[in-house]
Amino acid sequence: MKVLKKGEPKEWSVKVKCTGFGNNRYGCGAELEVVKKDIYLTYSEHYWGETDIFYTITCPECGKETDIPNSKIPYYLKGVFPSKAAWQKAAKGELS
Ligand SMILES: [Zn+2]
């Protein structure tokens, strides 16, 4: 049996700790409340041709990137995130 929900929450958010990723780029440990517009996609290509997609944020405290586990991203949001380049453009637009 499946429980039907009465519409999705107005603004989804998830709590994430800034951990950085890869190459010893350790994060600052800040607790971040991440909303939809904070997230962009990054890719990791394997030599055998598969590509992993990561849901990534940039920490406002230390400027490092942290990946959000796939399991924390609800299914109805998985298709909506921009590329990093598009996200950076949008973020700049917001400041001006
Ligand atoms: Zn940080």
Side-chain angles (χ1 to χ4, degrees):
M1 189 184 296
K2 191 178 173 191
V3 179
L4 297 172
K5 290 179 186 159
K6 281 189 179 174
E8 305 298 348
K10 266 185 191 153
E11 179 149 59
W12 168 85
S13 71
V14 63
K15 288 202 170 62
V16 175
K17 203 170 188 180
C18 172
T19 56
F21 65 58
N23 302 321
N24 296 319
R25 292 189 291 157
Y26 297 116
C28 66
E31 301 275 355
L32 305 168
E33 186 175 16
V34 173
V35 297
K36 200 172 83 181
K37 70 178 173 63
D38 297 328
I39 299 172
Y40 51 87
L41 300 177
T42 55
Y43 302 91
S44 175
E45 284 180 34
H46 298 290
Y47 68 88
W48 60 86
E50 278 179 29
T51 303
D52 289 335
I53 297 173
F54 297 100
Y55 301 95
T56 308
I57 55 161
T58 297
C59 175
E61 293 287 323
C62 69
K64 287 176 181 157
E65 292 182 305
T66 292
D67 291 332
I68 299 172
N70 280 13
S71 59
K72 289 196 175 184
I73 308 289
Y75 70 92
Y76 64 90
L77 285 179
K78 286 197 171 168
V80 308
F81 300 112
S83 67
K84 186 174 182 179
W87 179 85
Q88 284 173 324
K89 236 184 209 177
K92 274 182 200 159
E94 231 170 64
L95 293 175
S96 59

